[in-house]
Amino acid sequence: KYISVREEEAKKMLAPLTTNPIEQVLDPTMLLDREEWKRFVKRDTNQKPYLFCYFLGNNKDNTKAARKFAKENDLELIYAPSNITNSNESMRYLNGIGPIEFLNLIYNADYILTDSFHASVFSIVYNKPFRVFGRAIGRKNMNGRITTLLSLIDRADLLILPENLDSKCISSSSVYNYSKIDAEKKHSIYWLERALKESGENRND
């Protein structure tokens, strides 16, 4: 009776399959206060400036753009997850990192390049400068969630092609407007609490 999705694209895809309303709500990671997420990280004062790359797809153009960007901005290139096919001595690879390490890598980075939704989420949560590369599996576009996410901060420009990565964009502002996210958070929590409450009541009937 209660269906929720994270992106507008999924809502449109599922609509013909049900007569029940479909609600668009925030990803669970965004239902926690930003201050709460800061409890899991700490500033690393010993680490030299670095570019953190987290790519889900195996795209050599992404790696090439990241390597060039790091060199032009004098940044160490830290790459996760480890991708042996793109291994290069100019990168530092991290294997087997956990969630806390992942959050700290984003929090302490000078810049983030990714094709991941959640790396984008935490770049926004921690107010970090980042760019996200589009991703596809075959002909299927995988950018629906990211497009929806960036619309919440009115920054559709952060989704780019690797060849459009400007070496000077590291100086871009990373001060994001959280007003839409905060409003959506209130709406999402209200909807989820009501759905859970009413589902529980229906089971007792």
Side-chain angles (χ1 to χ4, degrees), residues 2-171:
Y2 303 94
I3 305 171
S4 64
V5 296
R6 292 177 289 187
E7 67 270 13
E8 184 65 28
E9 187 178 274
K11 187 175 179 179
K12 292 177 181 177
M13 289 173 63
L14 291 175
L17 306 179
T18 179
T19 56
N20 289 339
I22 300 172
E23 195 73 18
Q24 183 179 331
V25 298
L26 289 181
D27 184 86
T29 55
M30 302 179 75
L31 297 182
L32 204 62
D33 286 341
R34 289 183 294 278
E35 291 303 315
E36 286 288 318
W37 282 118
K38 290 179 181 178
R39 293 173 51 224
F40 299 100
V41 295
K42 60 182 179 180
R43 185 66 63 191
D44 185 354
T45 57
N46 296 318
Q47 171 65 49
K48 70 178 186 179
Y50 68 91
L51 167 66
F52 178 54
C53 292
Y54 182 74
F55 297 127
L56 301 177
N58 182 13
N59 187 319
K60 291 182 179 179
D61 290 337
N62 291 356
T63 307
K64 181 180 178 181
R67 192 179 296 134
K68 180 175 180 287
F69 186 86
K71 183 177 180 180
E72 291 177 345
N73 289 284
D74 194 26
L75 297 172
E76 181 180 3
L77 179 49
I78 297 180
Y79 198 103
S82 178
N83 188 333
I84 301 303
T85 60
N86 286 338
S87 181
N88 184 281
E89 62 182 10
S90 65
M91 299 179 183
R92 176 148 68 93
Y93 286 84
L94 300 179
N95 227 341
I97 64 170
I100 298 300
E101 290 86 355
F102 176 74
L103 295 180
N104 275 278
L105 282 164
I106 291 177
Y107 181 72
N108 285 289
D110 290 80
Y111 209 87
I112 296 103
L113 294 177
T114 188
D115 61 3
S116 155
F117 171 78
H118 284 108
S120 300
V121 166
F122 288 110
S123 295
I124 294 170
V125 166
Y126 293 134
N127 205 37
K128 306 298 294 188
F130 76 103
R131 292 294 184 274
V132 54
F133 297 143
R135 188 164 62 93
I137 298 179
R139 294 184 177 180
K140 181 173 176 56
N141 186 305
M142 304 295 290
N143 298 331
R145 274 191 297 165
I146 289 174
T147 301
T148 299
L149 171 66
L150 296 181
S151 71
L152 291 174
I153 56 171
D154 295 321
R155 291 298 305 271
D157 60 296
L158 298 181
L159 177 62
I160 63 171
L161 295 171
E163 57 265 33
N164 293 333
L165 180 64
D166 184 351
S167 62
K168 296 180 181 179
C169 70
I170 193 166
S171 61

